[in-house]
Amino acid sequence: MNAYPRSVTTQAAGLLSSHKVLRNTYALLAMTLLFSASMAALSWKMATPIWVSLVCSVVAMVMLWFVVPRTANSASGIGVVFVVTGLLGFGLGPVLSHYLALPNGPALVMTAMSGTGVTFLVMSGIALVTRKDFSFLGKFLMVGILVAFVAGIAAMVFGLSGLSLAVAAMFAFLSSLLILWQTSSIINGGETNYILATTTLYVSIYNLFTSLLQLLGFSGSDD
């Protein structure tokens, strides 16, 4: 006779837990985005050379793969997340300098920022409102990101501008779905570590923003 009340209590506890993870994730995400934006502005003012951007990106990627997962369950994980997002933000300086130098540069950057923000709100809103489990997207995203990554390397090595644009479009699409997938995973209890969740959402936003910059920059150069 006590099975039902116990089930309700368990569901309530799970709901409170997912809300806590979501709250902590959004709080940490907001702080890392502000910190990253500050580092990008500093790098832009310093006129950082492009090779520094590449070094920052490589170091951040290595930390994402090997350091973040090992520290995600400790307090030091928060510091690691700030280091990673700071490096990626600082590496954006030369990229922003390139696009801001275009005739419509400021408008282009603002459009990319607005598009990123709207996409994040829409995809997060879908997950929050529907509360649907989008875990089935996991394998598709994993394969899609791998294919896009390999295609991006090929485009860079062989200098294929058309393929580069296709890769940018792929990353924009996959990053949008990744926001939906990660938010859904938090809500439905699939992700209980807010440090890992924050990292995934930050990287999604970062890739979405840079992909939109590339796509908008190309379309703007034809005007």
Side-chain angles (χ1 to χ4, degrees):
M1 294 178 63
N2 294 326
Y4 180 71
R6 187 179 297 113
S7 175
V8 172
T9 302
T10 302
Q11 291 178 1
L15 188 61
L16 288 174
S17 177
S18 64
H19 282 175
K20 182 179 179 181
V21 175
L22 186 65
R23 183 175 64 251
N24 290 341
T25 298
Y26 279 175
L28 184 57
L29 180 64
M31 289 187 287
T32 54
L33 286 173
L34 287 173
F35 178 64
S36 182
S38 300
M39 294 301 292
L42 175 63
S43 177
W44 172 66
K45 279 193 171 184
M46 293 172 59
T48 304
I50 190 65
W51 67 265
V52 174
S53 175
L54 295 175
V55 171
C56 287
S57 298
V58 171
V59 174
M61 190 178 300
V62 171
M63 293 185 69
L64 280 170
W65 286 343
F66 300 106
V67 182
V68 172
R70 295 184 179 182
T71 59
N73 293 310
S74 64
S76 61
I78 297 177
V80 171
V81 171
F82 274 99
V83 172
V84 170
T85 56
L87 284 170
L88 289 173
F90 194 80
L92 267 180
V95 178
L96 291 176
S97 296
H98 168 73
Y99 286 105
L100 288 172
L102 298 175
N104 61 337
L108 187 152
V109 172
M110 288 302 300
T111 302
M113 288 179 61
S114 301
T116 301
V118 169
T119 301
F120 177 79
L121 290 176
V122 169
M123 303 311 282
S124 298
I126 292 174
L128 290 169
V129 172
T130 65
R131 305 191 71 84
K132 184 178 178 181
D133 185 2
F134 289 95
S135 60
F136 62 88
L137 291 174
K139 291 183 179 179
F140 169 76
L141 287 169
M142 183 173 62
V143 173
I145 291 172
L146 179 60
V147 171
F149 183 74
V150 173
I153 294 177
M156 182 174 59
V157 171
F158 298 105
L160 304 174
S161 59
L163 181 58
S164 294
L165 289 175
V167 170
M170 286 177 64
F171 268 115
F173 175 68
L174 292 170
S175 296
S176 302
L177 289 183
L178 195 57
I179 293 171
L180 176 66
W181 172 83
Q182 182 63 88
T183 307
S184 170
S185 182
I186 297 172
I187 295 172
N188 292 284
E191 179 59 80
T192 58
N193 189 300
Y194 70 94
I195 291 178
L196 294 177
T198 298
T199 304
T200 301
L201 288 175
Y202 175 88
V203 172
S204 301
I205 292 171
Y206 177 91
N207 286 333
L208 178 58
F209 174 65
T210 54
S211 297
L212 289 178
L213 267 181
Q214 186 174 353
L215 292 170
L216 292 169
F218 177 80
S219 63
S221 66
D222 290 339
D223 294 338

